[in-house]
Amino acid sequence: MTFKKYPMYFIPAMVLGLSFIGLIIFLFLPRSQPHNYPPEPFTPIKELMLWSQNLKSDFGSSKQAAEIEENVPTFSNIASSFESHALIENRYPGIAVFDFDRDGDMDFYVTSAEITALFQITRGGTNKFFENLENNEFAEIGSKTNTELAAQNSSAVAACDFNNDGFQDLYVGGHGRIGDGLDYRSIDNNPNSLEASLDRLLINSGTGIFEDVTAQAFGESANLRSTMSISCADVNNDGWIDIFVGNRADQDFVRFDDARHHGHYNNLYLNNGDLTFTDITLESGLLSPQIKMLDENLQPIIFSTSEGDIFEGFDPSLMDGNNRLVGDPAGQTWASMFFDYDDDNDQDLWIADDGDVLKIYRNDSSPEKVLFTPVAEEMGLDVSGQWMGFALGDYDSDSDLDVFITNMGFHRLKSPKPIPPGGDCAYSSQYGWGTCFHFMLRNDGNGVFTNVAAEIPVEHSDVLPPESLEPGFISSDWTLPEGIETFEFGFGAAFVDTENDGDEDLYWVGSLVSRGEGPGGGFAPAAGRLLQNQNGIFRDSTVEAKLLDILAVDYSNLSNAESNESLTKRRLGLQFHENGKGVAVGDLNSDGFTDLIVTNSNGETFDSEGNRNAESGPLFVWINSGSSNNWIKFKLKGRMAIDSTGSNADGVGAKILVSYNASDGQEFTQVKPVLSSASFLSTSSTELIFGLANANEIKEIIVYWPSGIKQVVGPLQINTTHEIVESE
């Protein structure tokens, strides 16, 4: 079958208006979903609050608690010095942190919406490229580097070295336009939207200029609308970085309740080693399974085609005007990451979809063929949700990598359970069931992961407690959330050792959901959170660290109920913004402590009277004040950048193990991966910082390269950055 093609002038204004209205409604409607709570144990509110108080009391009176409080680093937002560049006009702004000029310090790139977008709320400016001038000073150099992409409605971005020349390049996703009517596999019905919709590959020449090589690199297989996740890895261990592109559903059809709503193929591009790429999505086994949707009665949604065919959910045989598959039911892929979860030295693929189950594909490739096998079901992780962002790190210090996943759900106010119970975050989100919780997947070894989010002790903040713990907030029909599950709403996330004590802390950026019309209707303010880790116990240090993802906060006055900066009013007023999005991390000032960069989408805020206002999204560039703890930092250099053998130039996919003894003689081992993308829309630095607390020397350093080489390094000096070159 084919889709009818319309000339661009045939799109009625009414359709455009309805698309815009539908998008806004979608963004502001409560998006709760069914959750199968465990039947036992049930924890009454009073009991939970008492438990929380006891934990706080025990914790607060201990030496350990005092040490935690003392070691909380503070962060300073320097984005205000960027002047107009500190405001980003983009619904989906991404970040890439990388050293583009190889001068030893981290620069970063932020995406924006196209300048000439039809609607003001989606209209932006050029993409921003910030060159690090040292001393916390940055210059915007987009025009100088040929990276502005003013006509592209940009979204996700990744910085990867695709040609192994030692300089990281940029892959910038295109989001498309509301009402453009584009098929995903063909631009025939609106060729003028190509500039806004097409992904771009920008190659870093090493001279400060980037060259757009999209046409020659991808030809007709270039990804067209609507990129939300980009991950890089060498999937076949040939030394060349390949690209996975995760796409969201067409923003013109934002719900899973219309036969016209088609998904979008996620694409896997194989690097041929000559700056050309081959789309191997289908033959590699990455076509998503068919989505099956439920109505408010938990009955299948049935669609029929114009030819009389009946199907449940999405029809995977839909074709565009060129008789090419339009897309598969990929849902809305907000995050992806390559992660060797089974330790067999190849890169497996994890996919986070909004409105679909988690997807995990084991890499079963051979030298002759790239092949991925879906394994989420057999791992017991095929859980549906509104999944947003991955973070990968060793939270429990057992020398293997755990996975944190943010969920875009909130706890229902006095909402009864559906009978019969639905699945977790089922696709029929418009019916307002249940909730979606964050996941913390503990790595138990041998490819086994267990969700322990409810089991992890959390000491909550007095001035920023989760609203889910307030009496009467949740219906008595529901088991109360515990641990990390008590927090609502998250997008970009990262494990980061903020104070370099050797324990991986957890940070994610929050957002806001309205449960009614304006402030009077009730809000779900879900501020971003910093959970500081002390031996597997997390403490909410967001306020102490000055990491509230809102503007103009007087941290000394947060508990004053009469203050406009009080936490009871924290989401009201023009100084407060609503939509956190991307998170990327890196050491921006080369002091050995990790800094944070966060984007917010443009959109609506509310003043104290409940009036809506259109606001640009503020950029946060949080510089870490650090601590007295020791550290060591690594940059990897694979042999492909030297003699065209071995691993890719940046060692993406490698793991580093660092062993050391504390001052009391206790031995510690940390593990960190070299990743290229995982968080919402964004890419963090490939440099790795290991916090050493009071350790004065390193016992052993082991690098596991993607090529299979195990390289023992050291001893090396601490409080210094080291480049490790892959051995021959």
Side-chain angles (χ1 to χ4, degrees):
M1 64 180 290
T2 60
F3 287 119
K4 186 177 180 180
K5 293 185 288 185
Y6 297 94
M8 64 180 296
Y9 60 79
F10 191 74
I11 303 174
M14 182 178 69
V15 173
L16 295 177
L18 289 174
S19 297
F20 174 69
I21 293 170
L23 177 65
I24 299 302
I25 292 173
F26 171 76
L27 292 170
F28 282 90
L29 278 177
R31 290 167 53 94
S32 60
Q33 306 288 353
H35 185 90
N36 288 330
Y37 290 80
E40 297 291 338
F42 176 78
T43 307
I45 293 249
K46 188 174 182 180
E47 181 181 335
L48 179 64
M49 295 299 287
L50 182 62
W51 173 86
S52 180
Q53 292 169 4
N54 290 337
L55 174 65
K56 179 182 174 183
S57 176
D58 294 343
F59 224 80
S61 63
S62 68
K63 179 182 178 182
Q64 187 182 41
E67 290 175 349
I68 290 178
E69 181 119 14
E70 183 180 346
N71 289 329
V72 176
T74 57
F75 289 78
S76 301
N77 180 25
I78 65 169
S80 59
S81 65
F82 299 174
E83 299 179 341
S84 62
H85 301 306
L87 296 176
I88 307 299
E89 296 190 64
N90 194 353
R91 295 301 300 172
Y92 303 105
I95 318 155
V97 179
F98 67 118
D99 183 5
F100 93 96
D101 51 4
R102 294 294 186 186
D103 64 351
D105 50 35
M106 290 293 114
D107 317 291
F108 66 96
Y109 184 84
V110 182
T111 64
S112 185
E114 63 172 316
I115 291 176
T116 58
L118 188 60
F119 300 105
Q120 184 176 3
I121 198 171
T122 59
R123 189 179 306 143
T126 59
N127 294 351
K128 313 297 184 186
F129 200 165
F130 296 96
E131 180 184 12
N132 195 331
L133 304 179
E134 300 182 352
N135 299 316
N136 293 334
E137 295 183 4
F138 291 80
E140 204 289 307
I141 57 170
S143 60
K144 291 172 53 180
T145 56
N146 194 35
T147 58
E148 290 186 303
L149 298 182
Q152 186 194 41
N153 194 11
S154 304
S155 53
V157 59
C160 312
D161 188 353
F162 296 110
N163 56 357
N164 283 318
D165 66 348
F167 291 89
Q168 288 173 286
D169 314 300
L170 289 171
Y171 187 100
V172 187
H175 186 227
R177 292 175 177 156
I178 295 176
D180 60 18
L182 283 178
D183 296 336
Y184 286 120
R185 291 298 214 183
S186 173
I187 62 169
D188 289 354
N189 51 346
N190 199 344
N192 292 328
S193 292
L194 180 61
E195 289 294 305
S197 306
L198 194 67
D199 293 0
R200 305 298 178 84
L201 178 59
L202 307 180
I203 295 299
N204 187 348
S205 68
T207 64
I209 302 295
F210 287 73
E211 180 185 0
D212 188 340
V213 299
T214 307
Q216 69 186 61
F218 300 100
E220 294 185 357
S221 66
N223 190 71
L224 181 69
R225 197 179 195 268
S226 184
T227 300
M228 290 296 145
S229 174
I230 306 162
S231 291
C232 303
D234 181 5
V235 301
N236 58 351
N237 290 330
D238 65 352
W240 297 97
I241 289 291
D242 311 299
I243 311 170
F244 175 80
V245 179
N247 294 291
R248 75 175 294 226
D250 187 337
Q251 60 182 333
D252 295 331
F253 309 103
V254 294
R255 293 207 182 276
F256 292 105
D257 58 3
D258 193 308
R260 296 184 66 196
H261 171 86
H262 44 78
H264 188 335
Y265 272 114
N266 293 331
N267 290 314
L268 178 64
Y269 295 106
L270 190 70
N271 191 335
N272 299 316
D274 57 359
L275 280 184
T276 66
F277 293 79
T278 302
D279 184 350
I280 61 168
T281 311
L282 295 180
E283 54 263 47
S284 65
L286 290 179
L287 183 67
S288 299
Q290 182 179 356
I291 284 179
K292 296 183 179 181
M293 297 172 282
L294 303 176
D295 63 16
E296 69 271 28
N297 298 313
L298 299 177
Q299 298 302 306
I301 298 175
I302 306 297
F303 297 125
S304 60
T305 70
S306 58
E307 298 176 351
D309 297 325
I310 303 294
F311 59 93
E312 179 182 346
F314 178 81
D315 181 2
S317 66
L318 291 176
M319 299 285 186
D320 68 11
N322 292 330
N323 291 319
R324 294 180 294 191
L325 288 171
V326 172
D328 73 350
Q332 304 186 68
T333 301
W334 294 111
S336 60
M337 69 172 176
F338 285 104
F339 162 40
D340 183 14
Y341 78 91
D342 53 1
D343 292 321
D344 63 351
N345 200 50
D346 53 27
Q347 297 300 301
D348 312 298
L349 179 61
W350 291 53
I351 297 175
D353 282 351
D354 178 3
D356 203 357
V357 297
L358 284 173
K359 299 183 179 72
I360 304 172
Y361 294 90
R362 186 183 64 229
N363 191 336
D364 292 329
S365 301
S366 67
E368 295 76 31
K369 181 178 176 60
V370 175
L371 180 64
F372 287 87
T373 303
V375 294
E377 183 176 2
E378 68 183 61
M379 294 172 67
L381 298 178
D382 58 332
V383 181
S384 56
Q386 295 174 285
W387 308 110
M388 292 291 137
F390 288 115
L392 187 65
D394 182 14
Y395 89 90
D396 54 358
S397 302
D398 63 352
S399 300
D400 54 25
L401 295 168
D402 313 296
V403 180
F404 176 74
I405 318 172
T406 54
N407 222 325
M408 200 183 77
F410 56 85
H411 311 306
R412 291 295 295 168
L413 179 63
K414 300 179 180 179
S415 176
K417 287 183 180 180
I419 300 174
D424 295 352
C425 289
Y427 309 120
S428 47
S429 62
Q430 62 267 43
Y431 302 112
W433 299 333
T435 186
C436 305
F437 289 139
H438 304 320
F439 266 28
M440 178 71 86
L441 299 180
R442 184 188 64 213
N443 189 339
D444 296 325
N446 299 316
V448 176
F449 290 79
T450 304
N451 180 28
V452 295
E455 304 171 13
I456 295 176
V458 177
E459 183 192 1
H460 294 292
S461 168
D462 285 338
V463 294
L464 194 66
E467 293 197 16
S468 65
L469 298 183
E470 294 181 6
F473 190 80
I474 297 180
S475 169
S476 59
D477 280 350
W478 296 85
T479 302
L480 284 171
E482 300 184 33
I484 294 178
E485 288 187 347
T486 58
F487 298 103
E488 301 184 306
F489 236 79
F491 288 93
F495 281 109
V496 54
D497 185 358
T498 57
E499 72 276 38
N500 284 345
D501 66 349
D503 289 318
E504 293 271 36
D505 310 313
L506 181 60
Y507 176 78
W508 69 84
V509 66
S511 189
L512 174 150
V513 173
S514 174
R515 294 197 177 92
E517 192 65 26
F523 271 57
R529 301 282 177 162
L530 173 65
L531 302 186
Q532 200 169 11
N533 185 359
Q534 185 75 26
N535 298 323
I537 297 175
F538 286 94
R539 178 181 185 269
D540 187 348
S541 301
T542 311
V543 175
E544 292 91 332
K546 299 185 177 181
L547 281 176
L548 282 176
D549 52 347
I550 53 181
L551 293 175
V553 183
D554 181 358
Y555 286 90
S556 67
N557 208 20
L558 290 176
S559 59
N560 180 359
E562 302 301 318
S563 168
N564 284 331
E565 283 81 26
S566 75
L567 276 245
T568 61
K569 299 180 180 180
R570 60 189 177 272
R571 291 292 176 172
L572 304 181
L574 294 177
Q575 70 268 43
F576 302 136
H577 205 267
E578 63 167 39
N579 280 320
K581 287 296 184 287
V583 170
V585 305
D587 184 5
L588 296 179
N589 56 359
S590 301
D591 65 351
F593 291 85
T594 304
D595 308 301
L596 307 174
I597 304 176
V598 169
T599 60
N600 286 267
S601 70
N602 69 333
E604 296 185 334
T605 59
F606 299 91
D607 64 22
S608 57
E609 283 74 45
N611 301 309
R612 291 181 176 179
N613 303 274
E615 295 288 323
S616 300
L619 180 68
F620 293 98
V621 182
W622 276 308
I623 301 299
N624 190 343
S625 66
S627 71
S628 60
N629 288 325
N630 295 321
W631 53 272
I632 192 168
K633 182 164 61 174
F634 301 105
K635 301 178 182 178
L636 296 188
K637 187 174 184 178
R639 295 212 65 83
M640 286 293 290
I642 302 172
D643 57 13
S644 300
T645 65
S647 303
N648 63 86
D650 289 321
V652 173
K655 287 192 305 186
I656 301 181
L657 271 71
V658 175
S659 299
Y660 56 95
N661 292 331
S663 57
D664 60 2
Q666 187 176 357
E667 184 174 325
F668 294 92
T669 298
Q670 294 184 51
V671 59
K672 292 182 185 290
V674 181
L675 287 177
S676 186
S677 192
S679 186
F680 192 88
L681 302 165
S682 302
T683 311
S684 294
S685 168
T686 55
E687 294 183 348
L688 299 182
I689 302 173
F690 289 79
L692 304 176
N694 59 8
N696 293 314
E697 60 181 3
I698 303 295
K699 182 179 179 181
E700 185 177 54
I701 301 165
I702 303 175
V703 182
Y704 294 90
W705 292 90
S707 64
I709 291 176
K710 175 183 175 181
Q711 184 175 355
V712 181
V713 182
L716 297 176
Q717 183 179 350
I718 64 172
N719 299 328
T720 303
T721 302
H722 301 273
E723 181 179 80
I724 300 178
V725 179
E726 183 180 14
S727 59
E728 299 185 50

